[in-house]
Amino acid sequence: MNRLLILTKNISVEHYLQEQLQKLNYEVLVSVSIWENWEQSGIIDPLIHSFQWLFLSETLSDQEVRRFGEAVGSECLVRIVGEEPSEGAVSDGPVSDWILANASLERLREKLVHKSFVNQSAFLDEQRIQPFYGDSPFSELKKQAFPIRFSDIHFTKLEKDIINRLVAAKDLSLPREELCHGWRSKNQHSKLSQLPSSITRIRKKVLDAYGIKDAVMTVWGEGYQLNTYFYHCLLKGEFHTSHT
């Protein structure tokens, strides 16, 4: 069963949408406390990572949604809206899509089925093609892979540790708990809340330096995995000696 979390400031506002989603066999949690805890402490509850979708309520302001989206770094944020937004309004923000608060059962079903299909296709494409280089087959990209070394980008010690662990995993994803293992902080909750922002910084640094988009990919419900092309660039550079 797919699990879905609705973050809101007023649970009663979400009753209709919650019931519709449950009719479609989604396990739905509507939470005020998870939102309030983040708003007050800035710490993201690790529980959110057990959900396939995160819906952000109409009761949250656009500014709050933007701040949360930047902090959580998730590709599965969906904005609940009262009316259809103008073209481009959602793409300019941190959310990946929108859903009408009063959507009919049929429209809601088709929207979520479409999103699941698009997300699955996007993930498979990421395994084969690096977006920065267009639609070239991966076999061609592999030949073009240029060496990347940590000295070329100012990664922090923590960011290097994350990349090292993902490189060691090769073409497999790593759970968030495993990526955080061994960090100095003894508070697992705190470590898990730091991870999304660290991943976001890695992506930005690689994009700014090399134009490689989504160097670290989110495998929702599982963890994180290196972009295939970025991985091969690292093997040609930073990890060349240890892999030859």
Side-chain angles (χ1 to χ4, degrees):
M1 179 183 289
N2 288 323
R3 306 185 71 210
L4 192 151
L5 172 64
I6 300 177
L7 295 181
T8 182
K9 293 184 178 180
N10 187 336
I11 289 179
S12 64
V13 174
E14 318 303 334
H15 281 169
Y16 172 79
L17 185 58
Q18 181 181 12
E19 289 177 357
Q20 294 291 80
L21 289 165
Q22 288 172 335
K23 288 177 184 177
L24 294 173
N25 204 32
Y26 283 88
E27 182 181 348
V28 183
L29 172 64
V30 181
S31 177
V32 172
S33 62
I34 292 178
W35 173 262
E36 288 180 342
N37 288 340
W38 174 79
E39 196 171 32
Q40 294 167 10
S41 68
I43 296 176
I44 297 169
D45 193 322
L47 177 65
I48 71 169
H49 300 304
S50 63
F51 294 90
Q52 281 71 45
W53 306 106
L54 299 180
F55 279 25
L56 303 179
S57 171
E58 286 182 281
T59 60
L60 311 179
S61 70
D62 290 342
Q63 184 179 6
E64 289 171 327
V65 167
R66 183 175 294 277
R67 284 176 50 237
F68 181 78
E70 291 171 350
V72 76
S74 170
E75 291 84 2
C76 293
L77 293 179
V78 177
R79 178 69 151 137
I80 302 172
V81 296
E83 56 185 31
E84 294 189 14
S86 59
E87 187 175 352
V90 172
S91 60
D92 290 339
V95 298
S96 63
D97 209 339
W98 55 270
I99 198 81
L100 286 173
N102 61 351
S104 66
L105 191 65
E106 180 179 3
R107 186 167 186 181
L108 193 58
R109 181 191 67 229
E110 295 306 311
K111 183 86 168 182
L112 291 172
V113 168
H114 174 71
K115 279 189 63 58
S116 296
F117 174 76
V118 169
N119 283 3
Q120 182 180 27
S121 298
F123 174 72
L124 292 174
D125 286 345
E126 288 283 4
Q127 304 303 299
R128 298 189 297 266
I129 299 171
Q130 166 53 40
F132 175 72
Y133 285 93
D135 297 327
S136 302
F138 174 68
S139 59
E140 294 180 17
L141 293 179
K142 190 172 179 180
K143 296 175 184 176
Q144 300 170 8
F146 49 83
I148 290 181
R149 299 176 178 85
F150 286 165
S151 58
D152 299 335
I153 306 174
H154 181 62
F155 289 120
T156 65
K157 184 177 180 180
L158 180 59
E159 291 162 358
K160 289 178 183 178
D161 180 68
I162 292 171
I163 295 173
N164 283 330
R165 291 173 188 263
L166 290 172
V167 168
K170 298 182 179 178
D171 58 348
L172 300 176
S173 61
L174 280 184
R176 293 165 175 80
E177 292 78 8
E178 191 168 342
L179 278 172
C180 296
H181 181 71
W183 290 10
R184 285 190 176 182
S185 173
K186 295 181 180 179
N187 187 322
Q188 184 69 3
H189 183 96
S190 175
K191 290 190 290 187
L192 287 170
S193 68
Q194 292 178 47
L195 187 58
S197 58
S198 297
I199 296 293
T200 298
R201 287 195 297 270
I202 291 172
R203 289 171 177 160
K204 185 177 187 307
K205 289 179 181 181
V206 175
L207 179 62
D208 290 346
Y210 288 98
I212 298 176
K213 184 180 178 184
D214 295 330
V216 181
M217 299 181 297
T218 302
V219 185
W220 198 248
E222 295 183 26
Y224 293 101
Q225 181 175 348
L226 287 183
N227 171 299
T228 306
Y229 185 75
F230 179 57
Y231 170 72
H232 282 277
C233 287
L234 287 170
L235 292 189
K236 278 199 167 188
E238 186 70 25
F239 298 93
H240 177 70
T241 303
S242 59
H243 287 77
T244 55

